Amino acid sequence: RILFGGKMNEPETIQKILGMKAIAVVGLSDNPERPSFRVAKYLMESGYEIIPVNPAINEWLGKKSYPDLEAVLQKIEVVDVFRKPDAVPEIVSQAIRIGAKALWLQEGVISEEAAKKAEETGLLVIMDKCIMKEHMKNWQNRSAPELH
């Protein structure tokens, strides 16, 4: 579906984002029962670099956790959000300020205005989808590896 005339939630957008490697997971929990923990662990095991962002925890699986996106010193490509929708506008503002390339709002995280703002400033945007499920689907749909 195309929202705001952009490419939100389009298969090509998902592909582009899945091709990026540095993912800041905003709202990442240190509780193994929480979806954010399971998704981030899956992504890390799939070769992605996970940058925990949650002021309530000091670290996640040995990685330093940051209070917000602007406190992160390394380059962030994807901002993956596990927060309530009312927190999304500020997260989007930070994502824009740090020069992130993409915004991924997990299932149930719907903020039309913030998503529109992110898209208008050039970020790739996915909303109300699970990055882990999309990665799994993508992986299963891959044909034989290309030979170079």
Side-chain angles (χ1 to χ4, degrees), residues 2-18:
I2 296 179
L3 298 175
F4 318 119
K7 301 248 190 273
M8 187 186 303
N9 290 4
E10 287 292 305
E12 315 83 72
T13 304
I14 292 171
Q15 290 277 349
K16 284 179 188 170
I17 295 174
L18 291 177

Side-chain angles (χ1 to χ4, degrees), residues 102-114:
L103 174 72
W104 192 298
L105 302 178
Q106 288 290 139
E107 289 175 336
V109 183
I110 299 167
S111 179
E112 302 277 353
E113 280 307 306

Side-chain angles (χ1 to χ4, degrees), residues 3-143:
L3 298 175
F4 318 119
K7 301 248 190 273
M8 187 186 303
N9 290 4
E10 287 292 305
E12 315 83 72
T13 304
I14 292 171
Q15 290 277 349
K16 284 179 188 170
I17 295 174
L18 291 177
M20 298 176 189
K21 288 296 173 200
I23 304 175
V25 182
V26 181
L28 178 51
S29 173
D30 59 357
N31 177 349
E33 302 298 311
R34 303 291 302 159
S36 62
F37 185 101
R38 291 193 306 270
V39 169
K41 188 168 189 281
Y42 167 86
L43 292 171
M44 188 172 74
E45 289 169 353
S46 298
Y48 291 92
E49 181 182 358
I50 300 301
I51 303 152
V53 178
N54 183 341
I57 64 173
N58 292 322
E59 65 173 34
W60 176 84
L61 297 183
K63 292 179 174 287
K64 175 181 171 40
S65 179
Y66 297 89
D68 56 39
L69 291 171
E70 291 176 305
V72 178
L73 302 175
Q74 68 200 84
K75 185 75 178 149
I76 295 171
E77 292 177 290
V78 182
V79 176
D80 184 23
V81 182
F82 283 89
R83 293 286 313 277
K84 290 190 166 111
D86 60 1
V88 174
E90 175 54 28
I91 293 166
V92 166
S93 293
Q94 287 187 25
I96 292 165
R97 286 195 296 270
I98 65 164
K101 296 178 183 174
L103 174 72
W104 192 298
L105 302 178
Q106 288 290 139
E107 289 175 336
V109 183
I110 299 167
S111 179
E112 302 277 353
E113 280 307 306
K116 181 179 179 185
K117 179 180 174 185
E119 226 175 24
E120 286 173 348
T121 57
L123 275 75
L124 297 173
V125 179
I126 300 296
M127 184 166 63
D128 196 24
K129 287 187 179 291
C130 176
I131 193 168
M132 179 176 79
K133 289 178 186 174
E134 293 301 322
H135 183 272
M136 287 175 163
K137 254 196 282 188
N138 225 279
W139 195 249
Q140 290 166 350
N141 291 340
R142 285 205 174 149
S143 54

